[in-house]
Amino acid sequence: MNHIALFEPRIHFNTGNIARTCAATNTVLHLIEPFGFEISDKHLKRAGLDYWDKVNIVYHKNLDDFMNSINDVGQLYLVSKFAEHVYSDVDYSNDEKDHYFLFGREDTGLPEEFMHEHRDECIRIPMNDEHVRSLNLSNCACMIVYEALKQQDFRGLELVHTYEKDKLK
C-alpha cells in the first residue's frame, strides 16, 4: 500500500488536491499536526470536493507520532529538493512493503536534523533550480504516487472504465 504523509501542511488547497489524489489511487493520507488551516475549513473540503469522505486519513499529533506509526514492513521516503536520489530511480514494486512518501511544509520543508537522520531515504523530483524555488506540493505528491503505482502495475485501479455518456463511443 502507498501512503502520502504531509508534515505540518500550510495550504488547504494543496491538502485538498492531495486528498483527491489519494481517493483516486487508494492511497492513505497522513496529516501531521499542526496545520496552517482548520481541518473543517470549507476551502479544504471544496478543494477535495465530494471526495473528502472517501479518503483514508490518519492524523498524527507530531512527526514522532507519525514515525512510530510506520510498521516494520514500511519503507519511508522523504521527498525533498535537497535529495541526491531521483524518485523514478527507486524501486517501489515490492508489494510486501508499505511505501510512505513524506512531504514537508510548503514554506520550510522538513526539519533539517530529521533529514540528516534519514539521508538515504531522501528522493528528489528533477527540476531547473535556477528558475524556480520549488514545485507545487500537490503536483509533487501526484507525480510520486503515480510513479509508485506504475511500478506496481496500477493494482487496484481501473485501467479502462466505461461511462454511461462516454465521449469516445
Side-chain angles (χ1 to χ4, degrees):
M1 175 160 285
N2 296 310
H3 302 255
I4 292 176
L6 304 180
F7 171 73
E8 299 181 3
R10 301 278 137 227
I11 302 173
H12 58 272
F13 287 119
N14 282 336
T15 303
N17 288 334
I18 292 167
R20 181 194 296 235
T21 297
C22 289
T25 60
N26 304 317
T27 300
V28 179
L29 177 60
H30 297 261
L31 298 177
I32 303 167
E33 296 180 25
F35 310 132
F37 50 84
E38 290 294 323
I39 209 65
S40 60
D41 186 344
K42 66 179 180 178
H43 299 291
L44 174 64
K45 291 183 180 179
R46 194 168 103 195
L49 296 174
D50 54 348
Y51 303 99
W52 193 248
D53 64 331
K54 306 291 188 257
V55 183
N56 182 356
I57 303 175
V58 181
Y59 296 95
H60 301 278
K61 291 290 181 196
N62 52 49
L63 189 55
D64 287 338
D65 182 39
F66 166 72
M67 291 300 293
N68 290 331
S69 75
I70 296 176
N71 56 38
D72 293 336
V73 295
Q75 175 63 52
L76 176 66
Y77 306 94
L78 282 62
V79 184
S80 171
K81 71 178 185 178
F82 302 107
E84 297 175 0
H85 304 288
V86 175
Y87 79 101
S88 56
D89 291 342
V90 177
D91 181 2
Y92 309 110
S93 63
N94 185 345
D95 61 0
E96 294 179 15
K97 288 184 178 180
D98 280 2
H99 303 278
Y100 292 84
F101 302 102
L102 177 59
F103 295 83
R105 285 173 51 152
E106 290 96 335
D107 56 351
T108 60
L110 292 165
E112 189 172 341
E113 182 179 332
F114 179 80
M115 290 180 64
H116 282 287
E117 292 170 6
H118 298 278
R119 176 182 289 279
D120 293 338
E121 289 86 28
C122 292
I123 57 175
R124 171 186 166 83
I125 299 171
M127 66 178 195
N128 184 329
D129 291 82
E130 293 178 21
H131 296 156
V132 296
R133 183 180 66 254
S134 63
L135 296 169
N136 175 273
L137 181 65
S138 62
N139 291 339
C140 292
C142 190
M143 277 189 271
I144 298 285
V145 78
Y146 268 96
E147 175 64 27
L149 287 165
K150 177 183 144 212
Q151 292 183 26
Q152 298 161 3
D153 297 322
F154 298 106
R155 275 188 300 275
L157 302 182
E158 295 178 75
L159 298 181
V160 177
H161 184 86
T162 303
Y163 296 90
E164 185 177 325
K165 295 183 179 184
D166 196 322
K167 294 181 179 184
L168 293 176
K169 303 281 182 205

